[in-house]
Amino acid sequence: MAVPVKHSVVIVDDHAMFRAGVRAELGDAVTVLAEAADVDQAVAAVIAGNPEVVLLDVHLPGGGGAEVIRRTAGKAPGTKFLALSVSDAAEDVIGTIRSGARGYVTKSITGAELVDAIDRVAAGDAVFSPRLAGFVLDAFAGTVEVAAVDEDLDRLTEREREVMRLIARGYSYKEVAGELFISIKTVETHMGAVLRKLQLSSRHELTRWANERRLL
Amino acid sequence: MAVPVKHSVVIVDDHAMFRAGVRAELGDAVTVLAEAADVDQAVAAVIAGNPEVVLLDVHLPGGGGAEVIRRTAGKAPGTKFLALSVSDAAEDVIGTIRSGARGYVTKSITGAELVDAIDRVAAGDAVFSPRLAGFVLDAFAGTVEVAAVDEDLDRLTEREREVMRLIARGYSYKEVAGELFISIKTVETHMGAVLRKLQLSSRHELTRWANERRLL
DNA sequence: CGCAGAATCAGGGGCGTCCCCGATAGGCAG
DNA sequence: CTGCCTATCGGGGACGCCCCTGATTCTGCG
């Protein structure tokens, strides 16, 4: 697991203690060019240092992490942004990615995982915490990276999607049957197809799956 | 600003990077006996080390910071708890104080301020971030909503609360049984009591109930 | 000591969930 | 016409969830 190059990074977070923690966890695996506590400092540090990767807090005084990306656009060639946030809310994730971040990980990440994420972002990969991948894939349905999961959804027939929506809302099989004027057995058949096609194993997982994609 | 004694502390937070940051910011102003990433580790560390002050994250896997205070009650004489959280929500603040914390500061605090807060809590003072003081005063002036939730919760026994938390997170009865080293039948008994006492009728309603009250 | 509460467990039953094995009927492309 | 997909059903089974009636042990309290 040798790391051939030490990437240059700028750490942006309004909590000094968290910046210190990131710095300590990264150790000498990367070169920390600068730290910044707000948008103005961050913009200045990124333009001045032209780092390979910027570790960017989403909730930041002065306009948020997205503002940093906007104001440094074109002024720091090659710099990539990796969002690092406590928030796993869909708005935050999608908003940050739309602004141009190449990855989004939560602060529950370990130091080793963060180093790996930095390496991958620097190499051009998109990096996301597993739980957040759904948000991004849904928001960018139609782009190349999301083709795999989007195909999962497309494989559902119209009827299967109807059943799926009701089940995800908490309806029992019997209630779905009454709602769609079909028998319970037909509902079971459709649900079996839904779970198989989406690679899920229970209605509970389906509820989470649908919630993550804002399908309700 | 001379600090005559180095207080002993235990740092409890589920983010390793934040723990590292706190440790770095505190420097040698205090003696860090141990770190803990969840409720079980925290309880063990507090009882084993009997620290003067516990820096306690509010949102913690395994029941939250309040659970740590409850489970160490009477087992760590002289130990005081200082909540250290990103959240400034009234429920979090009040709930933590009700559980027995002697102070509550947000993570935007500086290292020097945190050292000062630790000193004051160790000396017996109550320490609050200025914006949070209002919440605490309001709570002791008599708020109804928080009390209502507490009454419902208080009717549950300790074991019932453990079962409830796991079920609300999506564990099956069998998984809960394995987690708590008891039989499925016992889990069913506890769940029956939980649903009856909370006037709910299914595990799905329990999930919503818990989510609405931020008990996860 | 007797009583109450808490925690542990068993058996059995009704119903929901998920799966397997089928079947029939209609639409549509090769 | 002949598959192929889709939608619609059925039987039956395994297992999970929820409720019921029991039971034992331990602890604390008057």
Side-chain angles (χ1 to χ4, degrees):
Chain A
M1 287 296 286
V3 178
V5 290
K6 284 174 65 171
H7 298 292
S8 58
V9 305
V10 167
I11 303 173
V12 182
D13 193 297
D14 56 329
H15 293 156
M17 256 181 296
F18 191 81
R19 292 199 304 274
V22 171
R23 200 162 194 154
E25 288 285 318
L26 291 180
D28 59 356
V30 303
T31 302
V32 179
L33 297 181
E35 293 184 11
D38 58 36
V39 169
D40 290 336
Q41 289 178 27
V43 170
V46 170
I47 294 177
N50 192 20
E52 293 173 81
V53 178
V54 178
L55 298 180
L56 189 63
D57 190 23
V58 171
H59 295 291
L60 204 62
E67 182 71 14
V68 177
I69 301 180
R70 277 192 290 274
R71 284 170 51 184
T72 55
K75 296 178 182 173
T79 291
K80 296 178 178 63
F81 295 88
L82 175 58
L84 185 59
S85 172
V86 289
S87 165
D88 58 3
E91 315 86 78
D92 291 333
V93 179
I94 294 172
T96 307
I97 298 303
R98 277 195 199 282
S99 297
R102 299 300 299 266
Y104 193 116
V105 296
T106 60
K107 289 182 175 175
S108 57
I109 195 172
T110 67
E113 289 170 336
L114 181 57
V115 171
D116 184 56
I118 292 172
D119 289 339
R120 288 178 54 193
V121 166
D125 279 3
V127 179
F128 298 97
S129 298
R131 318 177 32 217
L132 306 180
F135 295 157
V136 181
L137 296 175
D138 182 54
F140 285 80
T143 64
V144 179
E145 302 93 271
V146 302
V149 170
D150 212 31
E151 281 172 14
D152 282 347
L153 246 184
D154 284 347
R155 275 202 288 272
L156 296 183
T157 67
E158 193 56 40
R159 204 56 161 166
E160 286 163 358
R161 269 192 288 268
E162 286 185 78
V163 171
M164 182 204 70
R165 273 190 286 269
L166 294 174
I167 292 294
R169 280 183 199 155
Y171 284 55
S172 69
Y173 287 8
K174 182 184 293 184
E175 289 168 334
V176 173
E179 193 75 19
L180 299 180
F181 304 104
I182 56 181
S183 85
I184 293 178
K185 277 306 198 176
T186 306
V187 176
E188 293 184 19
T189 301
H190 289 320
M191 258 303 277
V194 168
L195 293 179
R196 181 171 39 78
K197 289 178 179 178
L198 299 182
Q199 296 178 300
L200 302 172
S201 61
S202 71
R203 59 172 302 139
H204 184 264
E205 289 182 14
L206 174 63
T207 301
R208 262 195 321 197
W209 187 90
N211 272 323
E212 285 172 0
R213 286 161 185 72
R214 295 286 189 270
L215 296 180
L216 308 182
Chain B
M1 285 291 288
V3 179
V5 289
K6 285 174 61 171
H7 298 292
S8 57
V9 305
V10 167
I11 302 173
V12 183
D13 194 298
D14 55 330
H15 294 155
M17 260 181 294
F18 190 81
R19 293 198 305 273
V22 171
R23 201 162 195 155
E25 288 287 306
L26 291 178
D28 59 355
V30 304
T31 302
V32 178
L33 298 181
E35 294 184 9
D38 59 35
V39 169
D40 289 336
Q41 288 178 26
V43 170
V46 170
I47 294 177
N50 193 22
E52 294 171 81
V53 177
V54 178
L55 298 181
L56 190 62
D57 189 25
V58 170
H59 295 290
L60 204 62
E67 181 71 12
V68 176
I69 302 179
R70 276 192 290 272
R71 283 170 53 183
T72 55
K75 295 178 180 173
T79 291
K80 295 178 178 62
F81 295 88
L82 175 58
L84 184 59
S85 173
V86 289
S87 165
D88 58 358
E91 315 89 80
D92 291 334
V93 179
I94 296 171
T96 307
I97 298 304
R98 275 191 197 278
S99 299
R102 298 301 297 267
Y104 193 114
V105 296
T106 61
K107 288 180 175 175
S108 55
I109 195 172
T110 66
E113 288 169 338
L114 180 57
V115 171
D116 184 55
I118 291 172
D119 290 341
R120 289 177 54 194
V121 167
D125 281 0
V127 179
F128 297 94
S129 297
R131 336 181 12 225
L132 304 181
F135 292 154
V136 180
L137 297 178
D138 287 346
F140 287 113
T143 314
V144 186
E145 304 167 37
V146 177
V149 174
D150 270 2
E151 281 174 19
D152 279 347
L153 260 181
D154 283 349
R155 295 171 54 193
L156 297 182
T157 67
E158 193 58 38
R159 205 57 164 166
E160 287 162 359
R161 270 193 290 267
E162 289 185 73
V163 171
M164 181 206 70
R165 272 190 289 272
L166 294 174
I167 292 295
R169 281 183 199 156
Y171 283 55
S172 69
Y173 287 9
K174 182 185 291 185
E175 288 168 334
V176 173
E179 192 76 18
L180 299 180
F181 303 104
I182 55 181
S183 84
I184 292 178
K185 279 304 196 178
T186 305
V187 176
E188 292 184 19
T189 301
H190 288 319
M191 256 304 277
V194 169
L195 293 179
R196 182 171 37 78
K197 289 179 179 178
L198 299 182
Q199 297 178 302
L200 302 173
S201 60
S202 72
R203 59 173 302 139
H204 307 294
E205 290 184 15
L206 174 63
T207 301
R208 256 188 312 178
W209 186 90
N211 272 324
E212 285 171 2
R213 285 161 186 73
R214 309 240 195 300
L215 298 179
L216 306 182

